[in-house]
Amino acid sequence: MEEIRNWLEKSPYSRFLGMRLESIDETGARIALPYKDENSNPGKALHGGCAASLGSVCGHAVARAALGPDTGPWHTVQMQLNYLELWSGECTWHGVCVVNGNARTPDLSKATLLPQPRV
């Protein structure tokens, strides 16, 4: 799984956003997106594009873990986001993707962005 960590943390896009891989296996991933003003709307709310990017990158990481790094590249074909609540201020965001199929055809249909307030 170290190669997935390197892929994510050395990606210019992931680095720009500040993403950090916290855990990964073939069934799910947890990727932190710490608060940065550059990722926020006025009022310190996480920009929706950053939230969407976190979900997409998380899905790609799980695909790499489940199918092997040589099976890519992977692309996000469709994504639907439901913004149920505004989160603002200092918090760290986590994308958690869970594989809902099997290792041959993973269904990465669920990604949850969980705010974690700073202590």
Side-chain angles (χ1 to χ4, degrees):
M1 300 298 166
E2 195 59 33
E3 57 194 28
I4 297 169
R5 179 178 307 282
N6 289 335
W7 163 78
L8 187 135
E9 293 182 355
K10 290 182 180 179
S11 157
Y13 186 64
S14 296
R15 274 196 341 249
F16 175 78
L17 292 175
M19 291 183 192
R20 221 179 35 251
L21 183 64
E22 291 188 344
S23 63
I24 182 101
D25 64 25
E26 52 281 337
T27 63
R30 188 175 182 92
I31 299 172
L33 178 60
Y35 174 83
K36 287 175 38 175
D37 283 338
E38 296 85 0
N39 294 345
S40 303
N41 290 322
K44 297 188 179 252
L46 180 68
H47 187 282
C50 295
S53 294
L54 179 58
S56 180
V57 169
C58 194
H60 291 207
V62 174
R64 283 178 183 264
L67 302 175
D70 297 331
T71 60
W74 301 274
H75 306 282
T76 301
V77 176
Q78 179 180 357
M79 188 173 214
Q80 176 181 331
L81 297 167
N82 298 312
Y83 297 99
L84 303 177
E85 196 170 342
L86 174 70
W87 286 90
S88 61
E90 297 287 323
C91 60
T92 299
W93 291 81
H94 297 273
V96 179
C97 291
V98 178
V99 176
N100 296 318
N102 60 52
R104 301 195 84 158
T105 57
D107 171 10
L108 300 171
S109 61
K110 293 188 179 191
T112 305
L113 303 179
L114 305 168
Q116 299 290 351
R118 289 188 182 200
V119 194

